[in-house]
Every structure is written in C-alpha cells, then in structure tokens.
Coordinates of all heavy atoms in Angstrom, one line a residue:
V1 N 128.2 101.0 115.9 CA 127.6 101.7 114.7 C 126.9 100.7 113.8 O 125.8 100.9 113.4 CB 128.8 102.4 114.0 CG1 128.2 103.1 112.7 CG2 129.4 103.5 114.9
L2 N 127.6 99.6 113.5 CA 127.0 98.6 112.7 C 125.8 98.0 113.3 O 124.8 97.7 112.7 CB 128.0 97.5 112.3 CG 129.2 97.8 111.4 CD1 130.1 96.7 111.3 CD2 128.6 98.2 110.0
N3 N 125.8 97.8 114.6 CA 124.7 97.3 115.4 C 123.5 98.2 115.2 O 122.4 97.7 115.0 CB 125.1 97.2 116.9 CG 124.0 96.7 117.8 OD1 123.5 97.5 118.6 ND2 123.6 95.5 117.6
T4 N 123.7 99.5 115.3 CA 122.6 100.4 115.1 C 122.1 100.4 113.7 O 120.8 100.5 113.5 CB 123.1 101.9 115.5 OG1 123.6 101.8 116.8 CG2 121.9 102.9 115.4
L5 N 123.0 100.4 112.7 CA 122.6 100.3 111.3 C 121.7 99.1 111.0 O 120.7 99.2 110.4 CB 123.8 100.3 110.4 CG 124.5 101.6 110.1 CD1 125.9 101.4 109.4 CD2 123.7 102.5 109.3
E6 N 122.2 98.0 111.6 CA 121.4 96.7 111.3 C 120.0 96.8 111.9 O 119.1 96.2 111.4 CB 122.2 95.5 111.9 CG 123.5 95.2 111.1 CD 124.3 94.2 111.7 OE1 123.9 93.6 112.8 OE2 125.4 93.9 111.2
R7 N 119.9 97.4 113.1 CA 118.6 97.5 113.7 C 117.7 98.5 113.0 O 116.5 98.3 112.9 CB 118.7 97.9 115.2 CG 119.4 96.8 116.0 CD 119.4 97.2 117.5 NE 118.1 96.9 118.1 CZ 117.6 95.8 118.5 NH1 118.4 94.7 118.3 NH2 116.4 95.6 119.1
N8 N 118.2 99.6 112.6 CA 117.4 100.7 112.0 C 117.3 100.7 110.5 O 116.3 101.3 110.0 CB 118.0 102.1 112.4 CG 118.0 102.3 113.9 OD1 117.4 101.6 114.7 ND2 118.8 103.3 114.4
G9 N 118.2 100.0 109.8 CA 118.2 100.1 108.4 C 118.8 101.4 107.9 O 119.2 102.3 108.7
V10 N 119.0 101.5 106.5 CA 119.5 102.7 105.9 C 118.6 103.1 104.8 O 118.0 102.3 104.2 CB 121.0 102.5 105.5 CG1 121.9 102.3 106.6 CG2 121.1 101.4 104.5
H11 N 118.6 104.4 104.5 CA 117.9 104.9 103.3 C 118.7 104.6 102.0 O 119.9 104.8 102.0 CB 117.7 106.4 103.4 CG 116.7 106.8 104.4 ND1 115.3 106.5 104.2 CD2 116.8 107.5 105.6 CE1 114.7 107.0 105.3 NE2 115.5 107.5 106.1
I12 N 118.1 104.2 101.0 CA 118.7 103.8 99.7 C 118.1 104.6 98.6 O 116.9 104.7 98.5 CB 118.7 102.3 99.4 CG1 119.6 101.6 100.4 CG2 119.1 102.0 98.0 CD1 119.8 100.1 100.1
D13 N 118.9 105.2 97.8 CA 118.5 105.9 96.6 C 118.4 104.9 95.5 O 119.3 104.5 94.8 CB 119.5 107.0 96.2 CG 119.1 107.8 95.0 OD1 118.3 107.3 94.2 OD2 119.5 109.0 94.9
I14 N 117.1 104.4 95.3 CA 116.9 103.3 94.3 C 117.3 103.7 92.9 O 117.9 102.9 92.1 CB 115.4 102.9 94.4 CG1 115.1 102.3 95.7 CG2 115.1 101.8 93.3 CD1 113.7 102.0 96.0
F15 N 117.0 105.0 92.5 CA 117.4 105.4 91.2 C 118.9 105.4 90.9 O 119.4 104.9 89.9 CB 116.8 106.8 90.9 CG 117.2 107.4 89.6 CD1 116.6 106.9 88.4 CD2 118.1 108.4 89.5 CE1 116.9 107.4 87.2 CE2 118.4 109.0 88.2 CZ 117.8 108.4 87.1
M16 N 119.6 105.9 91.9 CA 121.1 105.9 91.8 C 121.6 104.4 91.8 O 122.5 104.1 91.0 CB 121.7 106.6 93.1 CG 123.2 106.5 93.1 SD 124.0 107.5 91.8 CE 123.8 109.2 92.5
L17 N 121.0 103.6 92.6 CA 121.5 102.2 92.6 C 121.2 101.5 91.2 O 122.0 100.7 90.7 CB 120.7 101.4 93.7 CG 121.3 100.2 94.3 CD1 122.7 100.5 94.9 CD2 120.4 99.6 95.3
Q18 N 120.1 101.8 90.6 CA 119.7 101.3 89.3 C 120.7 101.8 88.2 O 121.2 101.0 87.4 CB 118.3 101.7 88.9 CG 117.8 101.0 87.6 CD 117.8 99.5 87.6 OE1 117.2 98.9 88.5 NE2 118.5 98.8 86.7
Q19 N 121.1 103.0 88.3 CA 122.1 103.6 87.4 C 123.4 102.9 87.5 O 124.1 102.5 86.5 CB 122.3 105.1 87.7 CG 121.2 106.0 87.2 CD 121.5 107.4 87.4 OE1 122.0 107.8 88.5 NE2 121.3 108.3 86.4
Q20 N 123.8 102.6 88.8 CA 125.1 101.9 89.0 C 125.0 100.5 88.5 O 126.0 100.0 87.9 CB 125.4 101.9 90.5 CG 125.8 103.3 91.0 CD 126.0 103.3 92.5 OE1 125.4 102.5 93.3 NE2 126.9 104.2 93.0
S21 N 123.9 99.8 88.7 CA 123.7 98.5 88.2 C 123.8 98.4 86.7 O 124.4 97.5 86.1 CB 122.4 97.9 88.7 OG 122.3 96.5 88.5
D22 N 123.1 99.4 86.0 CA 123.1 99.4 84.6 C 124.6 99.6 84.0 O 125.0 99.0 83.0 CB 122.2 100.5 84.1 CG 120.7 100.2 84.3 OD1 120.4 99.1 84.6 OD2 119.9 101.2 84.2
A23 N 125.3 100.5 84.7 CA 126.7 100.8 84.3 C 127.6 99.6 84.4 O 128.4 99.3 83.6 CB 127.3 102.0 85.1
L24 N 127.4 98.8 85.6 CA 128.1 97.6 85.8 C 127.8 96.6 84.7 O 128.6 95.9 84.2 CB 127.8 97.0 87.2 CG 128.5 97.8 88.3 CD1 128.0 97.2 89.7 CD2 130.0 97.6 88.3
A25 N 126.5 96.5 84.4 CA 126.0 95.5 83.4 C 126.7 95.8 82.0 O 127.1 94.9 81.3 CB 124.5 95.5 83.3
H26 N 126.8 97.1 81.7 CA 127.4 97.5 80.4 C 128.9 97.1 80.4 O 129.4 96.5 79.4 CB 127.3 99.0 80.3 CG 128.0 99.6 79.1 ND1 127.5 99.5 77.8 CD2 129.2 100.2 78.9 CE1 128.3 100.0 76.9 NE2 129.4 100.5 77.6
D27 N 129.6 97.3 81.5 CA 131.0 97.0 81.6 C 131.2 95.5 81.6 O 132.2 95.0 81.0 CB 131.6 97.6 82.9 CG 131.8 99.1 82.8 OD1 131.8 99.6 81.7 OD2 131.9 99.8 83.8
I28 N 130.3 94.7 82.3 CA 130.4 93.3 82.3 C 130.3 92.7 80.9 O 131.0 91.8 80.5 CB 129.4 92.7 83.3 CG1 129.8 93.0 84.7 CG2 129.2 91.2 83.1 CD1 128.6 92.8 85.7
D29 N 129.3 93.3 80.2 CA 129.1 92.8 78.8 C 130.3 93.1 77.9 O 130.7 92.3 77.1 CB 127.8 93.6 78.2 CG 127.4 93.0 76.8 OD1 127.2 91.8 76.7 OD2 127.3 93.9 75.9
R30 N 130.9 94.3 78.1 CA 132.1 94.7 77.3 C 133.3 93.7 77.6 O 134.0 93.3 76.7 CB 132.5 96.1 77.7 CG 133.8 96.6 77.1 CD 134.1 98.1 77.4 NE 134.1 98.3 78.9 CZ 135.1 98.0 79.7 NH1 136.2 97.4 79.2 NH2 135.1 98.2 81.0
L31 N 133.5 93.4 78.9 CA 134.5 92.5 79.3 C 134.3 91.1 78.7 O 135.3 90.4 78.4 CB 134.7 92.5 80.8 CG 135.3 93.7 81.4 CD1 135.1 93.7 82.9 CD2 136.8 93.8 81.1
E32 N 133.1 90.6 78.7 CA 132.8 89.3 78.2 C 133.2 89.2 76.7 O 133.8 88.3 76.3 CB 131.3 89.0 78.4 CG 130.9 87.6 78.0 CD 129.5 87.2 78.3 OE1 128.6 88.2 78.2 OE2 129.2 86.1 78.6
K33 N 132.8 90.3 76.0 CA 133.2 90.4 74.5 C 134.7 90.4 74.4 O 135.3 89.7 73.5 CB 132.6 91.6 73.9 CG 131.1 91.4 73.7 CD 130.4 92.7 73.2 CE 128.9 92.5 73.0 NZ 128.2 93.8 72.8

C-alpha cells in the first residue's frame, strides 16, 4: 500500500493544511508565552 502511495502520490487539501498549520502556530506561540 505504501509502495503504491509513494509511486502515485496523494491528493492534499492545501487550504485545510494551511488552517492546521495556522492553528499549530497559534498554540506554539501560546505555549512559548
């Protein structure tokens, strides 16, 4: 299964990924404080 995924690639929802990244950045900033 991984072999096939690596050869074909996967579809990524860039907008969703950006939202997750922003949420993580917010939490990281909060934890730093």
Side-chain angles (χ1 to χ4, degrees):
V1 175
L2 290 174
N3 177 247
T4 304
L5 279 171
E6 288 173 5
R7 293 187 76 81
N8 297 345
V10 292
H11 287 294
I12 287 186
D13 184 334
I14 295 173
F15 178 69
M16 176 67 78
L17 206 58
Q18 186 61 57
Q19 283 185 313
Q20 291 176 329
S21 192
D22 291 345
L24 285 171
H26 176 77
D27 287 341
I28 289 166
D29 186 55
R30 174 179 55 78
L31 286 166
E32 186 174 34
K33 287 172 182 171

